[in-house]
Amino acid sequence: MAAAGETPPAPRLQRLRSSSLSHESLWGSPEVWPAREEARARVLVLNTGGTIGMAGSECDGGLAPQANKLVEALKKMPMLHDAEYAKATKFYDSCALPESTLVLPLSKRKKRVIYSIVEYSPLLDSCNMTTDDWAKIAKDLETYYEQYDGFVILHGTDTMAYTAAALSFMCENLGKTIVLTGAQVPIYELRNDGRSNLLGALLIAGLFVIPEVCLYFHHKLYRGNRVTKVDTGSFDAFSSPNLPPLANAEVDIKIDWGIVWRATTTKKFKVHTDMNRNVGLLRIFPGITATTVRAFLQHPMEGIVLETYGCGNAPNNRPDLLEELRQATERNVVILNCTQCLRGSVAPTYATGQDLAHVGVISGGDMTPEASLAKLSYVLAQSQLTWKEKKQMLCDNLRGEMSSMFTGNQSSLSNSIFIKVMTKFISLNCKEELGALIPSLACAAAKTGDMDALKAIEEVGGNLNCEDYDGRTPLHVASSEGHVHLTEYLLKSGASVYGKDRYGATPLMNAIEFRHMEVIQLLRKTGAHLSKEELENAGTKLCLLASKGDVDGLMAWHLAGVDMEHADYSGRTPLQVSLPNKHLKKFLIKR
Ligand code: ASP
């Protein structure tokens, strides 16, 4: 028995110690064993520049980005790098980019966030960014997508809202967390916001699956396409006027899971890097001339965001202006109407607003000008679509950039009849308590394959990506049970293929374990993949299956994308250890 205050060895280690295998060949030297038992998350940081890594002063030319400085500085900051742990373990072993890999101190959730930094060259003040820089970031996200659990993008604050909005559209079928952050004061200065912004962004990207392009600043996580920079002198520099934060990082990090946006698809993640540059922002002001509007709308302009007064109004006593707008929409120039007000939306309240709609101007609902511009640029680059389809796409809610009241209804847990009836029925005195039952109800429905029950839960706004007490989601359960249709339904309802339960298992690992071939294929199609660590351990699993002649088991791993030549810890391949079974050998040789 372990003495008081001493941690008893984990059961897995006890088993290994009593086996005949060489411990060291499997685990390295004994002092690293406990570390290997910790859950780890890998985060990739793309450092594009911005104030967070700047130095300089007004008298020597102003703040400018400093190359090759950030990683070394972070290594000396205990809250951002656990040097002792780094020294004692080869924590960076399975990282795609080990050279610049750091590790956070152990989080409250008992997880290590290991992060690698890629520094762009040149580092940019974000005012110098163009659509090509967005494309570079998007391509890097695609390249490293399968190798990391989450992503952080360091970026200047001046155009961060534009980049966040653009990336939200460019990242299609996103299943992992992407967080943009930066600072108002460089991280090298005594009082700065860079340290806590970076720490918060790393923890969120490493510990939670929030499949959105987000922006983290001053203890709040926002949806990236809902923010705007509102303050030059405060650490609280961003506002999300029409959507509450996705998370608040206070004593605990509290995620508002009910508003997290999810791709409802069985398609894989991909990026769309082609953006239309013939777009612009035009702000209406009293006395604007028709000549200005004509000049702005002339060829090659293909779409503009018209920033209008109040709830989408422009002068309707100016036939010359309306005529310019009408002629433009007749030439298929898209005009998207957004309000100049910080909060609120375009609505057909006034005649001055309705007259804009009559000349072909489309309502942008409650989108920010940044999000509207990015959406225009993304939609107008979809060369496979007709003009009508593009116009429809602009009105659709693609990534949660506009409130649902402008595109259709969304139910919410808090006002549903179901909850009210259930609340009365189970005699609970508050709705939140019933909300807490949803994970268990949804997992039970997934276990029995009860699609109707799942639909009922979803109809009342229950989150089908919820986790039970063991971190298992309905998708984990459906994948373990092999319910193909239910799995597909969950995926199309926004369930994440990247959720890990408390044992570190993903739905894909569950489907492999229980050999549900169709489910494996479906999850793979949606972008599920094994982690680098799982792949490293696959050789031993394959050899065990081959030595037992278990073709089904091997087939499950094969469908999950694992190469049958993976060697075990002693360097033997499945073929070398397989039984003298003709079918088995044939299977292994063919793959
Ligand atoms: N001009 C800087 C930039 O956008 C401002 C900042 O990072 O806050 O890169």
Side-chain angles (χ1 to χ4, degrees), residues 560-589:
V562 176
D563 171 352
M564 290 294 123
E565 281 177 9
H566 266 278
D568 71 359
Y569 56 88
S570 65
R572 290 172 308 169
T573 64
L575 190 59
Q576 287 167 331
V577 299
S578 66
L579 287 178
N581 169 328
K582 237 175 45 204
H583 296 302
L584 179 61
K585 296 240 183 247
K586 218 164 119 195
F587 174 84
L588 289 168
I589 290 166

Side-chain angles (χ1 to χ4, degrees), residues 49-52 54 63 65 124-128 155-160 182-185 217 229 238:
T51 297
I52 191 163
M54 288 188 183
L63 283 173
L124 291 176
D125 183 305
S126 74
C127 307
N128 291 327
H155 196 288
T157 58
D158 286 347
T159 67
M160 200 187 294
Q184 293 278 59
V185 175
F217 224 84
K229 184 172 174 182
F238 287 90

Side-chain angles (χ1 to χ4, degrees), residues 492-514:
K492 289 188 172 160
S493 304
S496 165
V497 291
Y498 302 112
K500 288 185 187 165
D501 67 16
R502 67 181 293 199
Y503 313 102
T506 57
L508 180 60
M509 276 307 290
N510 287 166
I512 297 172
E513 183 136 348
F514 294 102

